[in-house]
Amino acid sequence: TGWQRWRELDDASAEIIPNAHPVRYPGTYPTGVLGQAGWHMADTACPIGEHTWTSARASANTALAGAQVLLDGGRQAYALCRPPGHHAYADLAGGFCYLNNTAIAAQALRARHDRVAILDVDVHHGNGTQDIFWTRRDVLTLSVHCDPHALYPFSYGHANERGAGDGEGYNVNIPLPRGSADDALLSVLPRAAELIESFAPGALVVALGLDTSGEDPLQGMKVTTPGFERLGRAICRLGYPTLYVQEGGYLSPSLGANLAAFLKGVNDR
């Protein structure tokens, strides 16, 4: 209901864009929409407009529909989610993300499976996903991404972040140097596969980022179109019921080809 409340303010802008983002040291939850906006929005890359909630909810429902394919006995499903979700916390939007589609799908799969694994291969670390499952051991969160010293979200996604409490050791980050290409990405997949196999999940959720492309405007990594096909093939060969949830992927000449190549790989049995 934030946008409607925001529009009731004098001289309200067309979108909610707060100018105060508390870092959540001990404090008091704000009562007004001005303060609440900053409390629930990590940065200015997630403005809230008239149709944001409708779009975010539809995106999450797309991921849930994909999860249902697996719950109904399917082996693979692809959810074309927009807006993306892996930067969203349980109650905090950020990085173009409002609801964490990947986490929501993983939680839905927990209805049948004692353990679910998440493998995030977006160029950015999935900080929201990490936080949601930080203290849990029933969901393994594993992220391969560009070194956050060089790329958003900067403060999260480092190798020493391992989870806490019951979740200690069930969060694994594998940061790669900026500019890493096909071989660097594929070289860490055996380690990821070993961790997933040791965890023995009933299902796997892949947070698929196409923004690792060398033609992506952010230039965080240099994965080629054939590299995406190799990535898809490697993940498919893990052999788990798998849901692919679309995360990042900015406009570039190769965006469609990269998705087609990845999907070709996951169907190349």
Side-chain angles (χ1 to χ4, degrees):
T1 62
W3 184 82
Q4 291 85 352
R5 295 164 57 212
W6 180 270
R7 294 295 296 165
E8 293 172 0
L9 301 174
D10 292 338
D11 298 322
S13 58
E15 297 177 314
I16 302 177
I17 305 178
N19 63 1
H21 304 271
V23 292
R24 297 200 180 194
Y25 289 117
T28 301
Y29 184 68
T31 57
V33 68
L34 282 170
Q36 289 174 356
W39 186 275
H40 292 292
M41 299 167 72
D43 51 49
T44 56
C46 51
I48 296 175
E50 180 179 5
H51 304 294
T52 298
W53 170 247
T54 301
S55 298
R57 184 172 178 177
S59 188
N61 283 339
T62 301
L64 285 170
Q68 191 62 49
V69 171
L70 270 57
L71 292 171
D72 290 341
R75 295 295 298 176
Q76 294 192 116
Y78 168 65
L80 179 51
C81 294
R82 278 294 177 265
H86 73 153
H87 295 308
Y89 293 70
D91 65 345
L92 183 69
F96 313 141
C97 301
Y98 301 90
L99 297 175
N100 195 310
N101 307 314
T102 293
I104 289 168
Q107 183 63 35
L109 290 167
R110 278 285 289 106
R112 173 167 298 173
H113 303 290
D114 292 336
R115 293 177 300 280
V116 175
I118 295 173
L119 174 60
D120 192 323
V121 292
D122 191 276
V123 75
H124 303 100
H125 173 248
N127 52 311
T129 310
Q130 171 176 288
D131 184 78
I132 287 170
F133 298 112
W134 184 250
T135 59
R136 290 172 52 173
R137 61 172 56 212
D138 58 329
V139 178
L140 172 69
T141 53
L142 197 160
S143 181
V144 180
H145 51 268
C146 179
D147 187 340
H149 283 300
L151 205 67
Y152 184 97
F154 305 111
S155 300
Y156 309 98
H158 301 275
N160 63 307
E161 297 161 23
R162 303 268 304 154
D166 287 344
E168 185 173 358
Y170 292 89
N171 183 84
V172 180
N173 292 320
I174 306 177
L176 298 175
R178 184 162 193 159
S180 294
D182 299 4
D183 289 344
L185 175 60
L186 273 295
S187 71
V188 301
L189 286 188
R191 177 188 171 196
E194 181 179 351
L195 291 167
I196 293 169
E197 289 166 5
S198 297
F199 184 66
L204 174 66
V205 180
V206 176
L208 174 60
L210 299 173
D211 45 8
T212 52
S213 167
E215 294 190 10
D216 190 88
L218 295 180
Q219 293 290 295
M221 293 172 65
K222 302 290 185 181
V223 177
T224 66
T225 299
F228 281 104
E229 183 175 344
R230 293 171 61 194
L231 175 64
R233 187 178 300 115
I235 294 173
C236 179
R237 288 179 177 173
L238 294 175
Y240 300 100
T242 303
L243 170 63
Y244 303 93
V245 177
Q246 188 64 58
E247 292 289 354
Y250 301 94
L251 191 62
S252 74
S254 64
L255 182 60
N258 291 340
L259 176 58
F262 180 86
L263 295 178
K264 182 176 184 292
V266 304
N267 284 290
D268 185 11
R269 295 181 178 273

